[in-house]
Amino acid sequence: MWPWEWKDTLKRRKDGYTPVKTEDDTSKSRQHKLQTKSFLEKNQKKGIAAIIVIAAVVVFFSWPRGGFKGEIPDVSHVKHRYKSHGSLTFKSGEFFLDTYPIKIVSGTMHYFRVVPSYWEERMKKMKACGLNTLQTSIPWNLHEKEQGVYDFGQNLDLGEYLETAKRVGLHVIVNLGPYIGSDLELGGLPSWLLRDTDMELRTNHEGYMTTVKNYFVYLMPLIKQKQHSQGGPIIAVQIEHQYGSFSKDTKHLYTLKKLMVQLGVSEMLLSSDGWTEDNKLGMAVAPFHDAALPTVSFSNFEEGKTALDHITSLSTDFPLFVSNYWSGRNNFWGDSYNPGPTLKEFTSNLEELLITGASVNFYMFHGGTNIESIAGASDRHGYQPGVTSYDYDAPLTECGETTPKYKAITELLLKYDYVRPEDLVLPEISRDPLRTAYGTVEIQAFLSFENMLSRVKGVQRSRFSLTMEELNRGQRSGYILYRTTIPGSSIVRLTDTPRDRMQLLVNGINMGTVFDWTTTTRTTDISSECIFINNTLDLLVENTGRVSEVKPGSDWLDKQRKGLHGDVLFDRHTVNHWTIYSLDFSSNYLNRIKTFDSWKPFTSPRLVPGMYRAELNINQPPTDTFLSLSGWQKGMVFVNGNNIGRYWNVGPRSLYMYLLLT
């Protein structure tokens, strides 16, 4: 039976939600009145018009997760062992919350990948599965898109997210970073940091730490207020993410800890590590167990057991905690679909883990969507940009459906006494979200590329082909256009690879040439269209995602500047006059586009960049749906002014997009 099918036969406990039954368990946890109202009931509207704008801007039409295989580096020089002074403590290999024993059963759900109207519903499904804790990371790059301008509203309302978790009855573990990984652009670090040409990310470099401190000073009052000791849900805080897989310079970790504590963090501190490229245990490469509780990441128990044994060898007081038990995998454009571990593998490895009595966090429990094209890229095996869907083959799908993995988790938690049946009963939880097939939507209007460019603000002129980061106001994402005028010419050559994908147009004609990370040549013949005395050459470059993970010791993270690099030559002459347009598709730009009077009736597809508009009228309460983009090639989708993300026909599963019409 599913957890919500037990509500008529089981009586909910009245003494809290402690996840483990013990002899001395007399805890009287606070009651949480659970009220479930569907989003559609609360926000019922008639006659919703979903404006779908498809920007066909490009219309030319892990690292290893294996275990340790070598020797564990010597960490005997680290004499002390971390001891928590927060609400969550540990002794003899067990966690205690407010002095009562607890097994942490947690799931990761990122608030920035799920719309607020679904936060509570997804959390209640976590609770009904048997989880007692929610884990989330805090993306600096989304909260401070422009330096000194902070955004904690709407999808980024962290305070409301934490309050929702408390209301549902979930503890919270937060990763403050500042680097959080999470398959985000630059691992969650803001791209404007790279305006400093000497920047050294994830180090004690002065320019980096000054901006980190400014961000933390703004963020920490909220974190301090939401800690368990202050009546909030936060029971633990993670510092950085898998640092030992990046560097052995632990001075940076100590600096971050000191700053966090000075600014009011008092709950338990965690570190989380996996393995390095050469299969060394990260927590041993960068030992930090005298300053935070070491935790580990894996999906294969046999390989991960090495890390668990290492934690026990450091201190028998340290509880075992797999802070990232991978439920699936991230996927990349152009690759075949990779769901990660099968149900059998996931279940058997989880059972082995639970037999040890370890605590666990499922990464991901609910993946959601890379809204606004926030996906990063991997550079472990060459450049691989992440797709829009962050389904992750998680226990809850991208659109919130329960899966066999969800049911398997509940059954195993019951089997090994991590949870009691009566703790799983929650009223009025829908097994699957409502969805509707709305049929075909006809394209009604078209906006030309030239008209799109006419709405760009802050156009720059330069002798050099500036990157996105080098523009006066900087640019985080989207496209950047480099325009110049050249005489009649035949050959165009780039001296360096564009970052990341470049399309070439001459006099408004798409030449069908694409340069990206996969092309081996940077030379093309344009003689067929370059026939006038003065010809317009357009180089349209897309940022498909800054890398979020690099090889140990690499400085490639510091070099993620997007756009043209090097020189552009026409018949061996260097271009030294550019007009540069920032097509960032920000909300301000989209508003200017929406109200523009130059939209024309759509007649037929065009082989040049442009925007296409359709209108879907719904005369009933709207539900979510999927958008099929069969026949389209590459671009972005916007619904009611919201950037849903990229589509691309190279796969995997890229031509069906989850649309949140609610």
Side-chain angles (χ1 to χ4, degrees):
M1 288 191 295
W2 294 90
W4 40 80
E5 294 172 330
W6 298 332
K7 63 182 179 182
D8 295 327
T9 57
L10 295 174
K11 186 178 180 182
R12 181 169 174 77
R13 279 186 69 201
K14 294 183 179 180
D15 59 346
Y17 49 87
T18 306
V20 182
K21 184 177 181 179
T22 59
E23 294 296 329
D24 60 345
D25 180 13
T26 58
S27 171
K28 297 285 186 178
S29 302
R30 288 175 296 177
Q31 296 290 313
H32 294 277
K33 186 177 181 182
L34 301 173
Q35 299 176 335
T36 305
K37 291 185 179 179
S38 72
F39 176 76
L40 294 180
E41 290 176 331
K42 291 187 290 183
N43 298 277
Q44 216 173 53
K45 294 181 181 178
K46 297 289 185 178
I48 297 294
I51 306 298
I52 303 175
V53 178
I54 302 174
V57 175
V58 184
V59 296
F60 175 65
F61 316 119
S62 143
W63 65 294
R65 304 294 192 184
F68 171 74
K69 296 187 177 97
E71 293 184 6
I72 297 177
D74 180 22
V75 296
S76 60
H77 59 285
V78 182
K79 302 298 183 182
H80 302 288
R81 300 295 181 262
Y82 173 68
K83 183 176 181 180
S84 172
H85 298 285
S87 307
L88 182 66
T89 57
F90 55 83
K91 184 179 181 181
S92 301
E94 297 290 339
F95 281 115
F96 296 85
L97 182 60
D98 297 330
T99 73
Y100 294 100
I102 181 174
K103 286 282 195 298
I104 296 173
V105 185
S106 177
T108 297
M109 179 175 79
H110 295 142
Y111 56 99
F112 48 89
R113 284 181 164 128
V114 182
V115 294
S117 55
Y118 285 138
W119 288 348
E120 184 168 334
E121 187 263 353
R122 303 296 197 259
M123 290 181 192
K124 287 182 175 179
K125 284 184 176 177
M126 285 185 169
K127 186 80 170 159
C129 186
L131 277 60
N132 58 28
T133 303
L134 166 73
Q135 193 276 344
T136 192
S137 299
I138 302 177
W140 181 11
N141 62 336
L142 301 184
H143 287 297
E144 194 179 357
K145 294 175 183 176
E146 296 182 37
Q147 188 171 6
V149 180
Y150 298 96
D151 181 3
F152 282 81
Q154 299 180 336
N155 284 30
L156 298 174
D157 192 342
L158 176 60
E160 179 58 29
Y161 189 71
L162 296 173
E163 280 302 305
T164 303
K166 178 182 175 181
R167 186 165 61 249
V168 170
L170 291 171
H171 306 303
V172 176
I173 297 172
V174 294
N175 180 0
L176 296 184
Y179 172 88
I180 60 173
S182 303
D183 298 312
L184 285 174
E185 266 226 334
L186 217 59
L189 301 178
S191 61
W192 49 257
L193 288 169
L194 300 178
R195 293 171 67 86
D196 178 355
T197 56
D198 297 322
M199 179 56 66
E200 297 177 18
L201 302 174
R202 304 180 72 184
T203 71
N204 281 346
H205 174 71
E206 182 179 0
Y208 179 63
M209 285 308 304
T210 297
T211 56
V212 168
K213 182 176 181 180
N214 292 339
Y215 165 60
F216 275 1
V217 165
Y218 189 93
L219 172 66
M220 288 306 176
L222 173 61
I223 299 302
K224 182 178 179 180
Q225 176 190 0
K226 300 300 182 182
Q227 292 180 117
H228 185 82
S229 60
Q230 303 299 312
I234 297 175
I235 61 171
V237 171
Q238 182 179 319
I239 301 174
E240 248 269 354
H241 184 67
Q242 298 194 354
Y243 191 77
S245 301
F246 169 75
S247 172
K248 60 182 179 181
D249 180 17
T250 54
K251 291 180 181 178
H252 179 54
L253 298 180
Y254 288 107
T255 300
L256 290 175
K257 175 183 176 177
K258 181 179 179 180
L259 181 58
M260 290 179 185
V261 172
Q262 286 176 342
L263 293 174
V265 172
S266 59
E267 298 295 351
M268 175 181 285
L269 298 174
L270 306 174
S271 64
S272 178
D273 273 294
W275 282 264
T276 65
E277 189 75 12
D278 54 355
N279 279 325
K280 291 181 180 178
L281 195 56
M283 68 178 72
V285 172
F288 192 53
H289 51 266
D290 60 340
L293 177 70
T295 70
V296 68
S297 304
F298 63 74
S299 61
N300 184 294
F301 178 79
E302 205 52 43
E303 296 171 342
K305 188 175 182 300
T306 305
L308 297 178
D309 290 343
H310 179 65
I311 291 173
T312 301
S313 72
L314 294 175
S315 172
T316 55
D317 281 333
F318 283 166
L320 301 180
F321 183 20
V322 182
S323 55
N324 289 282
Y325 180 70
W326 292 305
S327 62
R329 291 289 185 273
N330 188 26
N331 277 269
F332 305 107
W333 293 115
D335 281 2
S336 57
Y337 178 66
N338 178 12
T342 64
L343 175 62
K344 182 178 179 180
E345 292 168 339
F346 175 84
T347 304
S348 62
N349 282 290
L350 177 59
E351 184 162 19
E352 292 284 349
L353 176 61
L354 297 182
I355 288 172
T356 69
S359 290
V360 61
N361 175 66
F362 298 98
Y363 186 99
M364 299 289 297
F365 191 86
H366 176 46
T369 306
N370 283 315
I371 305 167
E372 295 187 7
S373 304
I374 60 176
S378 173
D379 195 51
R380 292 281 177 172
H381 305 288
Y383 180 76
Q384 295 177 292
V387 300
T388 297
S389 172
Y390 203 64
D391 180 87
Y392 216 83
D393 201 40
L396 291 181
T397 67
E398 180 180 12
C399 57
E401 296 173 319
T402 56
T403 68
K405 287 182 180 178
Y406 182 100
K407 188 174 182 179
I409 291 171
T410 302
E411 291 173 347
L412 287 174
L413 292 177
L414 287 167
K415 180 178 179 179
Y416 292 100
D417 294 327
Y418 275 64
V419 69
R420 303 181 216 179
E422 54 264 37
D423 293 320
L424 304 178
V425 180
L426 289 173
E428 300 177 17
I429 292 184
S430 170
R431 182 180 303 181
D432 295 321
L434 294 174
R435 293 203 307 270
T436 303
Y438 290 108
T440 301
V441 180
E442 298 291 336
I443 300 296
Q444 298 169 331
F446 171 79
L447 187 67
S448 71
F449 190 47
E450 287 303 318
N451 281 320
M452 290 173 62
L453 295 178
S454 72
R455 309 308 286 173
V456 173
K457 300 292 186 182
V459 177
Q460 281 188 237
R461 288 172 174 79
S462 172
R463 290 187 58 197
F464 307 101
S465 54
L466 305 174
T467 64
M468 288 183 174
E469 296 76 11
E470 292 170 330
L471 297 179
N472 289 338
R473 296 191 61 184
Q475 183 177 341
R476 183 175 62 92
S477 60
Y479 298 76
I480 183 170
L481 179 75
Y482 301 88
R483 172 168 285 182
T484 191
T485 301
I486 60 175
S489 179
S490 59
I491 301 295
V492 169
R493 183 170 71 88
L494 278 62
T495 63
D496 200 350
T497 303
R499 317 285 200 274
D500 296 301
R501 188 178 188 273
M502 191 199 83
Q503 183 177 358
L504 187 148
L505 298 90
V506 176
N507 298 324
I509 304 298
N510 192 327
M511 299 301 296
T513 300
V514 172
F515 294 143
D516 63 17
W517 58 94
T518 67
T519 51
T520 56
T521 180
R522 296 191 292 268
T523 301
T524 187
D525 188 338
I526 62 171
S527 58
S528 62
E529 298 297 337
C530 197
I531 57 177
F532 303 111
I533 295 176
N534 293 308
N535 300 272
T536 300
L537 174 67
D538 286 336
L539 305 180
L540 182 63
V541 183
E542 178 189 8
N543 166 20
T544 57
R546 296 177 180 86
V547 300
S548 60
E549 54 180 17
V550 297
K551 296 178 181 179
S554 170
D555 63 352
W556 189 231
L557 204 65
D558 306 329
K559 298 179 179 179
Q560 291 300 299
R561 298 172 182 88
K562 297 299 183 177
L564 284 182
H565 288 250
D567 293 326
V568 177
L569 289 78
F570 63 97
D571 293 340
R572 300 185 180 181
H573 300 288
T574 301
V575 177
N576 58 12
H577 50 90
W578 294 102
T579 302
I580 304 173
Y581 298 80
S582 171
L583 286 161
D584 59 359
F585 294 99
S586 65
S587 58
N588 289 334
Y589 176 73
L590 292 175
N591 286 334
R592 293 195 296 271
I593 289 291
K594 181 180 178 181
T595 58
F596 198 26
D597 58 6
S598 294
W599 287 87
K600 303 298 182 184
F602 173 76
T603 54
S604 61
R606 309 185 186 192
L607 297 180
V608 291
M611 295 191 77
Y612 299 81
R613 185 165 68 190
E615 186 171 308
L616 173 65
N617 291 304
I618 304 173
N619 296 315
Q620 58 188 4
T623 70
D624 296 344
T625 189
F626 280 84
L627 176 66
S628 171
L629 289 157
S630 178
W632 295 77
Q633 296 199 19
K634 194 176 195 310
M636 306 166 75
V637 173
F638 306 88
V639 177
N640 293 335
N642 298 307
N643 185 345
I644 303 300
R646 300 184 183 98
Y647 65 90
W648 195 358
N649 66 351
V650 298
R653 301 185 177 186
S654 56
L655 294 178
Y656 288 88
M657 295 185 68
Y658 176 46
L659 293 189
L660 295 148
L661 298 186
T662 52

